[in-house]
């Protein structure tokens, strides 16, 4: 029996995807350069691929990681207030990135914004009641712009997301690209693809943003990457085929 890291298997199959991708930040790709992946869902998956030259070609090896459990670093007064809010809610525990922009963080962000501006009403909260606001409902109301609190939740979420994708690009110099994966990324694809949107604005909000101009950011519109990647990896273990591009 073998156990596979879910984000690692997602990245294994990400290389196979051709028709299910949309470019968020368009630029060229450097052959053999590191590749990064980030996927907010029930948690925050972060992973990368590093190539080596074998059998006359670049072959990528997947390296799973736990980047979602690195600490959250607020950059604005509002973010500092959110850090204090979330520390209080979770009894002073260390606040990691996935507390800020994974699926379970959406209701927390909603509650924070409601408490910080109590005079502002939420039509969603009126309808479903306090404590029944889910991440799925927040995304729906934000995308159809029927609830201004939900819109702000998603904007704050995308701020964190764009910043950390930029950090990933700089940390690994991912000139082979960064891939955005997972159901939440797919659900927010309209917002991620906005050329003047919150995500790209924060992605480029780095001192070394000239490097990030050379990092292609791609949204993968495939919800079952983890399962597909598990199949590829199992086949590789069974057949001994090293290069995943050799699979049909």
């Amino acid at each position: 029996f073998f156990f596979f890291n879910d984000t690692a298997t997602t990245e294994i199959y990400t290389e196979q995807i051709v028709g299910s991708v949309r470019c968020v930040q368009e630029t060229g790709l450097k052959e053999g350069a590191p590749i990064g992946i980030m996927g907010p869902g029930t948690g925050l998956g972060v992973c990368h691929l590093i190539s080596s030259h074998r059998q006359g070609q670049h072959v990528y090896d997947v390296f799973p990681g736990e980047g979602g459990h690195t600490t959250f670093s607020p950059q604005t007064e509002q973010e500092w207030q959110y850090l204090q809010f979330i520390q209080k809610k979770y009894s002073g525990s260390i606040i990691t990135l996935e507390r800020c922009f994974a699926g379970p963080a959406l209701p927390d962000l909603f509650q924070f914004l409601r408490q910080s501006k109590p005079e502002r009403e939420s039509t969603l909260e009126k309808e479903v009641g306090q404590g029944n606001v889910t991440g799925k409902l927040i995304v729906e109301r934000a995308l159809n712009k029927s609830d201004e609190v939900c819109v702000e939740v998603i904007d704050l979420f995308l701020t964190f997301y764009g910043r950390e994708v930029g950090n990933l690009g700089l940390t690994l110099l991912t000139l082979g690209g960064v891939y955005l994966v997972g159901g939440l990324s797919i659900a927010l694809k309209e917002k991620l693809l906005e050329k003047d949107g919150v995500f790209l604005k924060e992605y480029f909000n780095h001192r070394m943003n000239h490097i990030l101009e050379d990092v292609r950011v791609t949204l993968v519109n495939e919800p079952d990457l983890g399962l597909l990647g598990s199949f590829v990896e199992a086949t590789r273990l069974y057949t001994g085929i090293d290069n995943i591009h050799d699979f049909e």
Side-chain angles (χ1 to χ4, degrees):
F1 291 93
F2 293 92
F3 292 92
F4 300 135
N5 177 282
D6 56 348
T7 308
T9 56
T10 293
E11 185 148 17
I12 288 168
Y13 200 80
T14 294
E15 269 217 292
Q16 299 285 82
I17 294 295
V18 177
S20 300
V21 299
R22 298 282 299 278
C23 273
V24 177
Q25 146 69 5
E26 180 68 74
T27 188
L29 295 173
K30 182 177 179 180
E31 184 181 6
I35 295 171
I37 190 169
M38 188 170 289
T42 54
L44 176 63
V46 184
C47 200
H48 62 282
L49 291 99
I50 302 294
S51 75
S52 59
H53 202 260
R54 302 198 295 271
Q55 299 173 354
Q57 58 188 323
H58 288 288
V59 178
Y60 278 94
D61 295 305
V62 178
F63 292 87
E66 293 294 348
H69 295 288
T70 56
T71 52
F72 169 60
S73 178
Q75 298 296 309
T76 67
E77 180 62 31
Q78 183 188 46
E79 292 174 14
W80 174 248
Q81 291 171 1
Y82 177 66
L83 175 62
Q84 293 174 305
F85 166 84
I86 210 73
Q87 283 179 323
K88 183 177 180 180
K89 178 172 182 177
Y90 293 102
S91 303
S93 63
I94 294 174
I95 303 306
T96 62
L97 291 177
E98 69 176 23
R99 289 283 193 206
C100 302
F101 65 101
L106 293 176
D108 288 337
L109 287 166
F110 182 91
Q111 186 181 3
F112 162 70
L113 291 172
R114 285 287 291 120
Q115 289 188 14
S116 62
K117 299 177 182 178
E119 72 283 356
R120 186 174 53 179
E121 293 186 341
S122 164
T123 56
L124 174 58
E125 190 176 57
K126 274 188 173 182
E127 290 179 23
V128 303
Q130 189 175 14
N132 296 317
V133 176
T134 65
K136 181 179 179 180
L137 290 173
I138 291 170
V139 171
E140 289 175 356
R141 297 302 176 93
L143 292 179
N144 64 30
K145 300 180 181 180
S146 62
D147 189 300
E148 62 175 299
V149 180
C150 293
V151 170
E152 190 171 349
V153 167
I154 297 304
D155 282 349
L156 196 52
F157 177 94
L158 291 171
T159 295
F160 298 149
Y161 196 3
R163 180 183 303 155
E164 292 307 321
V165 170
N167 285 341
L168 179 62
L170 292 174
T171 300
L172 296 175
L173 286 180
T174 54
L175 300 180
V178 174
Y179 292 88
L180 313 180
V181 302
L184 198 46
S185 295
I186 295 172
L188 294 172
K189 62 183 176 182
E190 295 176 20
K191 304 288 288 183
L192 289 169
L193 292 168
E194 289 178 353
K195 295 306 179 184
D196 57 350
V198 174
F199 176 86
L200 277 181
K201 179 180 178 182
E202 195 61 27
Y203 170 78
F204 283 117
N205 190 22
H206 288 78
R207 290 181 62 187
M208 304 290 283
N209 60 4
H210 63 282
I211 293 177
L212 295 177
E213 291 176 356
D214 293 328
V215 175
R216 180 185 294 180
V217 180
T218 303
L219 170 66
V220 182
N221 191 29
E222 170 54 67
D224 295 321
L225 282 177
L227 291 174
L228 294 168
S230 296
F231 169 76
V232 170
E233 182 64 8
T235 304
R236 174 159 52 187
L237 288 170
Y238 181 75
T239 63
I241 296 175
D242 192 35
N243 191 345
I244 64 175
H245 290 301
D246 293 334
F247 293 115
E248 292 295 335

